[in-house]
Amino acid sequence: MSGRRHTIWWIVISLVVAVYALFPVLWIVSLSLKSAGDVANRKFWPTTVDWSNYELIFTGAAKDLFLPALVNSIGICLIATLIAVVLATLTAYAVARLDFPGKKFILTMALAVSIFPVISLVTPLFRIWSAIGLYDTWVGLIIPYLSLTLPISIWTLAAFFRQIPWELEQAAQVDGATSFQAFRKVIVPLAAPGVFTTAIIAFFIAWNDFVYGISLTSTSAARPVPAALSFFTGASQFEEPAGAISAAAIVVTVPIIIIVLLFQRQIVSGLTSGAVKG
Amino acid sequence: MSTRLSNRAKGEMKLGWLLSAPAVIILLAVTGYPILQAVYYSFFNYRLTDPDNRFVNWGHNYLVILTDPLWWQTIWVTLLLTVVTVAVELVLGFALALVMLNALKSVRPWVRTAILIPYGIITVVAAFSWKYAFDLGTGFVGTWLSMPGFDWFGDFWSSFLVICAAEIWKTTPFISLLLLSGLAQIPGDMLEAATVDGATWWQRMSKVIIPNMKAAIMVALLFRTLDAFRVFDSVFVMTAGAQDTATVSFLTYNQSIGQLQLGMGSALSVLLFLSVALICLIFIKIFKVDLAQARGE
C-alpha cells in the first residue's frame, strides 16, 4: 500500500521536475517551429509547424557558418575537458593527500585565476595569440579553456578526495604499494564519481564560453557555436531573428543531451562502485 | 627516525609538485601575463583608438570609478542579484539533488538528464529563451498572465526578476551536481543507523546528511557565488544594462570592449577582481573549510 503511494509520489515529483527543467527548452523548440508570421503571435505553440528555421541552418544561408562551428565546439570542448580532468586529478590528489609546501599556493592561485574577469584576459591574449600564430586555431581556444576549467576541476576534485576514506590508501601503502600505486589502484576507483562529475562541469563550462570564442577566432576554422550564433543573429535578414536563433539553439542542445546521457550512466556506475567503500 | 621522516617528506614534496606542475604551469602561463597587464594598464590613461594620448595617471582611474555613483549602483545590483540567485539555487539545487539521488530507478536516468539539461544549454541561448518568453513582441507569458500590455523589460524590478529567473534556471544544476556527489559519499550505514534509532527525516538531514557534505556544499556555494557576481551574458542579452540592470562585469565590458577605454576598463577589472576576492575571503572565513588541509581528520 505505502509502496504504491510512494511510487505515485515519486512519479508526480519526477514529472514536476521534468516540466520545470524542460519548459524553457520546449519553448525554444516551439519558437523554432514557428513560421515568420507566427513568431510574434505571443502564444506558446505555433499555429502550424514550420521547418524553415532549420532549413536556414542546415541547407540555407547559415549552413557554412553553423555546421563547422558545431564541429569546432564539440572537438575543442572534448579535448579541453579531457586534458583538464587528467591534470586536475593529479593536482587535486597531490593537494588533498600529500604534505608538501606550496599546496596552499596552488589552491589559492587556482582560485585567483578562476575569479579574474575573463573580459580583462581576452585583450592581452588576443595580442599574444596573433604574434605566435595561435589565433583562430583549436589550440588557441583549448589553452584558454583549460584556464577556465582547471581551477574548478582542481577545487572540486580536492573536495571529493578529502571525503574518501584514507585508511584504504594507507593500508595499501602498508601492504607495500608506492604512493603512486596507492593513488592509481585505490583512489582512482573511489574518486570516479567525482571525476566524472568534474568532467561534466568542465565540458559545460567550455561549451558555454562566449567571450574567448568570439575574441580569439575569426573564421570557421575554430569559431565555436556560441560565437557563431551571435554572427548568425546579426546576419539574419528576418524581421525577428527569434525563430532562427531558437532553431540553432535546439541543434546545439542535441549533443548536450547525448553527452549528459552518456556521462549520466558513468556517474551511476561510479556511484555504485563508490558505495561499496561503506 | 628523523632522517627517515625527512626522506618521506622529501618524497612527498617531489611527488606533490610533480603531479601539480602541469596544471600550475598552464594556469600561470595563460593568466599570469594578462593579469599583470591588466593591473599595469589600470594606472594608465589609455584609449585603444587614441594610443598617442597614453600616459600614466596613477590612481586617477580608481578615483574616478570609486567616486562615481554609477559604480556603487552597479555593485548594489550585482550583490542583490548574487544573493537572490544563490540563495534560491542552494535550496532548489539541494531539492533537485535529492530527487536525482532518490528518484525511482526506472525513470532516474531521465530525471537526471532533464535536471542537467539547463546547465548544458549555452547561457546566451537560455537568456534568449527567457527574453523571448517575456518580450512584448514574442512573449507568451504576458498572454498567459492576462497582462498583455505589460513591458517586463520596462522597469528595474520586473527586468531584475526575469534575469534572476533565467540565471536560476540555467545554473541550479551546477549546484545540484556538486551536492549530489556529496550526498552519494555519505555512508549508507550511517543513515541506516540514524533511521533505526528513530531519527526523523529532518533530524537525518540536519544531523547526518548536511554535516557530512559540508565540503561539497562549500565548494558549490563558493563557485556559484563567484560566478553569479560576474554575471554578464544574461544581462547583455536581456536588457543590455537598461533599467539600471548593468552588473559590474557588464560595466567593465562596456568600458574596455565597448568604448575601448583600456585604462579605465583594466581598473574596473581589477576592482571586480578585488570585490570577488573579498567575497571569497569572507566565504572561507565563515565556512572554515580549508581544502589544503589534507589528511588526519
Side-chain angles (χ1 to χ4, degrees):
Chain A
M1 258 319 269
S2 85
R4 184 189 273 175
R5 187 188 271 173
H6 185 80
T7 308
I8 292 169
W9 252 114
W10 271 108
I11 289 171
V12 171
I13 290 174
S14 303
L15 279 177
V16 169
V17 166
V19 168
Y20 153 80
L22 298 178
F23 195 72
V25 181
L26 193 63
W27 162 239
I28 311 177
V29 173
S30 164
L31 204 52
S32 75
L33 293 173
K34 286 184 175 183
S35 62
D38 252 6
V39 163
N41 70 357
R42 316 200 56 203
K43 296 200 175 88
F44 188 82
W45 301 106
T47 35
T48 52
V49 171
D50 182 281
W51 294 95
S52 57
N53 293 318
Y54 289 92
E55 278 165 26
L56 184 78
I57 299 173
F58 283 113
T59 56
K63 180 184 74 171
D64 295 333
L65 191 64
F66 188 69
L67 293 182
L70 197 58
V71 174
N72 289 338
S73 262
I74 294 171
I76 290 170
C77 294
L78 279 182
I79 295 171
T81 301
L82 184 72
I83 298 173
V85 168
V86 170
L87 296 185
T89 303
L90 299 176
T91 307
Y93 172 80
V95 164
R97 287 300 296 137
L98 301 174
D99 223 358
F100 65 103
K103 62 184 186 182
K104 278 208 168 180
F105 162 78
I106 292 170
L107 283 177
T108 314
M109 192 267 294
L111 192 64
V113 164
S114 75
I115 66 182
F116 204 86
V118 167
I119 284 162
S120 60
L121 295 180
V122 135
T123 319
L125 269 185
F126 166 77
R127 291 184 199 162
I128 306 168
W129 270 199
S130 305
I132 61 177
L134 283 180
Y135 180 71
D136 203 22
T137 64
W138 277 31
V139 178
L141 276 187
I142 289 170
I143 294 171
Y145 284 5
L146 286 179
S147 80
L148 282 180
T149 53
L150 268 176
I152 190 163
S153 303
I154 292 171
W155 273 71
T156 311
L157 282 169
F160 287 126
F161 287 175
R162 283 190 68 211
Q163 296 187 333
I164 285 168
W166 303 117
E167 314 83 63
L168 286 182
E169 194 199 27
Q170 277 155 7
Q173 282 179 335
V174 167
D175 286 349
T178 64
S179 289
F180 184 71
Q181 280 173 327
F183 169 68
R184 200 166 57 90
K185 297 268 169 66
V186 180
I187 297 305
V188 168
L190 285 178
V195 171
F196 281 111
T197 305
T198 306
I200 292 176
I201 294 169
F203 181 85
F204 287 172
I205 288 173
W207 184 255
N208 192 53
D209 163 75
F210 178 67
V211 179
Y212 283 131
I214 202 159
S215 315
L216 301 179
T217 66
S218 60
T219 68
S220 59
R223 184 184 287 144
V225 169
L229 274 184
S230 79
F231 280 95
F232 182 76
T233 311
S236 127
Q237 295 297 309
F238 292 166
E239 287 176 2
E240 181 62 78
I245 290 177
S246 303
I250 291 308
V251 175
V252 298
T253 305
V254 170
I256 283 297
I257 295 174
I258 292 170
I259 285 161
V260 169
L261 274 172
L262 227 63
F263 274 100
Q264 200 276 334
R265 227 176 281 141
Q266 301 291 344
I267 291 176
V268 171
S269 71
L271 287 176
T272 40
S273 74
V276 179
K277 82 191 189 228
Chain B
M1 189 67 192
S2 73
T3 44
R4 256 170 66 199
L5 269 179
S6 85
N7 274 342
R8 198 191 141 86
K10 245 184 221 165
E12 281 205 14
M13 180 175 161
K14 219 173 169 184
L15 182 66
W17 273 107
L18 199 71
L19 293 173
S20 311
V24 171
I25 289 168
I26 287 176
L27 285 179
L28 283 179
V30 179
T31 54
Y33 174 72
I35 286 174
L36 288 177
Q37 206 189 47
V39 174
Y40 177 72
Y41 278 147
S42 75
F43 291 101
F44 278 87
N45 179 27
Y46 183 17
R47 185 167 185 168
L48 208 60
T49 48
D50 188 13
D52 296 335
N53 197 22
R54 181 187 137 172
F55 58 88
V56 179
N57 66 5
W58 300 108
H60 186 67
N61 291 338
Y62 291 100
L63 194 72
V64 168
I65 294 166
L66 292 176
T67 53
D68 191 335
L70 180 66
W71 161 258
W72 297 105
Q73 143 85 14
T74 309
I75 284 276
W76 186 79
V77 170
T78 313
L79 275 177
L80 190 68
L81 193 83
T82 304
V83 169
V84 170
T85 54
V86 174
V88 175
E89 284 175 28
L90 184 66
V91 176
L92 192 61
F94 193 74
L96 290 178
L98 288 174
V99 172
M100 285 201 271
L101 188 70
N102 297 319
L104 294 175
K105 273 218 172 70
S106 50
V107 292
R108 196 179 294 165
W110 300 103
V111 171
R112 287 185 175 183
T113 306
I115 288 173
L116 293 182
I117 281 172
Y119 194 64
I121 289 182
I122 296 161
T123 310
V124 174
V125 166
F128 269 122
S129 168
W130 284 82
K131 178 193 157 88
Y132 288 140
F134 285 86
D135 191 82
L136 260 181
T138 54
F140 64 91
V141 176
T143 315
W144 282 20
L145 296 179
S146 317
M147 41 201 294
F150 185 69
D151 182 6
W152 289 86
F153 299 104
D155 82 284
F156 172 77
W157 285 108
S158 55
S159 314
F160 183 78
L161 192 79
V162 181
I163 293 172
C164 281
E167 279 287 302
I168 289 166
W169 178 77
K170 149 82 189 164
T171 52
T172 300
F174 169 78
I175 282 192
S176 298
L177 258 183
L178 293 185
L179 295 185
L180 173 67
S181 303
L183 275 174
Q185 289 187 334
I186 293 168
D189 44 358
M190 206 189 263
L191 278 173
E192 258 166 53
T195 314
V196 169
D197 289 350
T200 62
W201 180 84
W202 177 248
Q203 283 170 330
R204 287 201 305 265
M205 197 56 78
S206 60
K207 297 274 161 63
V208 182
I209 294 178
I210 291 173
N212 267 292
M213 53 187 293
K214 206 181 147 204
I217 292 176
M218 193 268 183
V219 170
L221 263 187
L222 176 63
F223 278 100
R224 246 331 280 153
T225 304
L226 296 180
D227 249 12
F229 193 80
R230 288 174 299 169
V231 58
F232 173 76
D233 301 16
S234 298
V235 175
F236 185 87
V237 167
M238 291 192 178
T239 62
Q243 320 300 343
D244 294 331
T245 52
T247 59
V248 179
S249 282
F250 187 82
L251 188 68
T252 309
Y253 170 87
N254 245 357
Q255 281 296 314
S256 40
I257 312 280
Q259 301 178 24
L260 298 173
Q261 296 278 10
L262 230 54
M264 199 64 89
S266 298
L268 278 167
S269 307
V270 172
L271 285 174
L272 173 58
F273 174 75
L274 290 178
S275 315
V276 167
L278 186 71
I279 293 173
C280 192
L281 208 74
I282 292 168
F283 251 88
I284 289 172
K285 287 267 188 255
I286 290 175
F287 283 88
K288 293 192 170 64
V289 171
D290 177 13
L291 290 187
Q293 172 188 73
R295 62 176 66 164
E297 279 185 74

